[in-house]
Amino acid sequence: MSVISADPYPFDFAGPHAALLIIDMQRDFLEPGGFGSSLGNDVSLLRQTIEPTMRLLAAFRRAGLLVIHTREGHRPDLSDLPAAKKRRGHAKLAIGDAGPMGRVLVRGEPGHDIIPELYPIAGEPVIDKPGKGAFHATDLDAILKNRGVEQLIVCGVTTEVCVNTSVREANDRGYDCLVVSDCVGSYFPEFQTMGLRMIAAQGGIFGWVAPSDAVIAALESNQV
Ligand code: TIU
């Protein structure tokens, strides 16, 4: 057991029972020309998370702990895409439409895939999720239970959408979540701030928040 200095109070890191959950670090959200930028968003705010997440991912791999990646997207026939999600926003480029990186948020298309900097390696489960939450309509909970995971160290995008939704889902399923402040990103600075604050508020109502350096230090303390 190793202790991570975190907000709102220290997090007892239970190494073998912890997994790194990297949410939706997909080209469609992070690269210019993808779905995120087509909605008018500045992807540079999200891209700031890449370098610290690479360092954290390397530390988890060195420690031999479980790493799980998620991707938001849909079947090519869009049979798992709710009509409401397709309609929402009246976007010029909607989910399933042909965009510069293939069909938007469709599995198997280039834009749907994970950015090369954080690409999964053999043995790291990839969860394809049709919703914002990582647990909705996926086998993530079963995988975590089968591997004895009780704690999630959470990275990814975007802080207030898929990260917050997934942490709330995880919280209700009994997992302790630590959100890594510099490894989660939002297109909106105010949502980044509040998205993190609402995790740790009220004595850690949804979990803990700590920077990547604190998590890496715990991983490298040889006490995990
Ligand atoms: N992964 C994720 O957060 N999906 C989104 O659609 N996020 C937005 O902020 N739009």
Side-chain angles (χ1 to χ4, degrees):
M1 187 80 80
S2 164
V3 175
I4 299 174
S5 177
D7 187 25
Y9 58 88
F11 181 83
D12 291 328
F13 185 52
H17 299 289
L20 180 65
L21 181 65
I22 306 180
I23 296 179
D24 299 358
M25 292 294 277
Q26 294 162 257
R27 298 184 62 201
D28 258 332
F29 293 121
L30 286 125
E31 293 190 357
F35 181 52
S37 68
S38 82
L39 296 174
N41 298 308
D42 174 7
V43 295
S44 68
L45 290 171
L46 266 54
R47 296 191 65 80
Q48 291 171 8
T49 65
I50 297 173
E51 192 273 334
T53 307
M54 287 171 70
R55 288 192 289 110
L56 186 58
L57 174 59
F60 261 81
R61 285 173 175 166
R62 274 197 302 276
L65 299 182
L66 181 63
V67 175
I68 298 183
H69 307 257
T70 72
R71 300 184 295 200
E72 181 178 351
H74 297 275
R75 295 168 179 262
D77 65 5
L78 305 183
S79 56
D80 60 352
L81 175 63
K85 186 176 180 184
K86 170 90 175 169
R87 276 195 307 268
R88 189 79 48 77
H90 306 293
K92 279 199 300 285
L93 195 57
I95 295 170
D97 292 349
M101 283 195 254
R103 295 178 66 206
V104 172
L105 291 187
V106 169
R107 295 176 191 157
E109 301 287 336
H112 172 264
D113 211 354
I114 292 172
I115 58 170
E117 296 90 333
L118 297 172
Y119 211 75
I121 59 173
E124 295 178 350
V126 178
I127 307 290
D128 278 322
K129 62 187 189 59
K132 303 304 181 194
F135 290 84
H136 168 69
T138 73
D139 54 6
L140 175 59
D141 193 48
I143 291 173
L144 296 174
K145 294 239 158 58
N146 293 339
R147 296 284 294 257
V149 173
E150 297 165 4
Q151 300 182 338
L152 296 173
I153 307 300
V154 184
C155 301
V157 298
T158 61
T159 308
E160 76 280 15
V161 182
C162 292
V163 171
N164 247 273
T165 305
S166 300
V167 166
R168 289 163 193 239
E169 287 181 323
N171 190 65
D172 280 345
R173 286 164 175 79
Y175 298 97
D176 278 330
C177 293
L178 183 148
V179 178
V180 188
S181 51
D182 50 333
C183 296
V184 294
S186 171
Y187 300 119
F188 307 96
E190 68 272 34
F191 292 169
Q192 173 75 3
T193 302
M194 297 313 290
L196 289 172
R197 281 184 61 188
M198 61 178 68
I199 299 289
Q202 302 183 68
I205 193 86
F206 296 122
W208 288 257
V209 175
S212 57
D213 282 350
V215 183
I216 292 169
L219 283 163
E220 294 181 346
S221 70
N222 292 325
Q223 290 173 3
V224 292

